[in-house]
Amino acid sequence: KPVMLISHALGEGKEINPDLVRGTGNHARAHPLYSGWNVMAMLSLRLVQGKQGIYYCSNWTTPGNCHDMSFLSGLICAHAIGAKYPFQDKEAEKDFHRMRDLMGI
C-alpha cells in the first residue's frame, strides 16, 4: 500500500506534488461539529453501547470534539472489556467516571 497523507491544511510554504496524488476526497464529516444534531447522535449511542459486546469510542461518542475526550472514550471502552484504569490522579478519575456515565457504559 502507498503511504497515505491526510491533510486538513498545509502549513505556510508547504506544498504537495500533484504527480504523487493518487486520489482526493472531501471528508467534511470526519470531525463532528458541536451542534444539536451531533449531540443527539452522541447521546443516542448510549442505547447501543455494550450491546453484543460492542463498544464505541471516538470523537463521535463525546460531547466535545477534542483529542483528550476521544482518548478518554477509548480508555472507557478498554475498561468496559476488562482493562484497568491506568492513572492515579483522583481528579482525572472523576472525569473518567463522568464521561463513562455520559457514554452510557
Side-chain angles (χ1 to χ4, degrees), residues 5-94:
L5 167 71
I6 298 175
S7 177
H8 293 282
L10 290 175
E12 187 176 328
K14 306 260 180 170
E15 62 184 51
I16 295 175
N17 181 344
D19 296 332
L20 298 176
V21 175
R22 301 198 192 284
T24 63
N26 181 350
H27 304 286
R29 302 290 294 172
H31 275 249
L33 301 173
Y34 191 72
S35 69
W37 285 107
N38 288 339
V39 170
M40 184 177 66
M42 180 270 305
L43 290 172
S44 296
L45 280 172
R46 308 169 55 98
L47 302 173
V48 296
Q49 280 288 18
K51 302 289 188 219
Q52 297 181 350
I54 300 172
Y55 293 88
Y56 299 90
C57 62
S58 75
N59 54 345
W60 284 97
T61 63
T62 67
N65 181 16
C66 53
H67 296 106
D68 54 340
M69 287 186 170
S70 297
F71 174 72
L72 186 55
S73 75
L75 289 178
I76 290 164
C77 289
H79 185 265
I81 60 172
K84 292 183 180 181
Y85 179 75
F87 305 112
Q88 301 299 319
D89 185 276
K90 291 297 178 191
E91 290 302 311
E93 192 171 358
K94 287 179 187 177

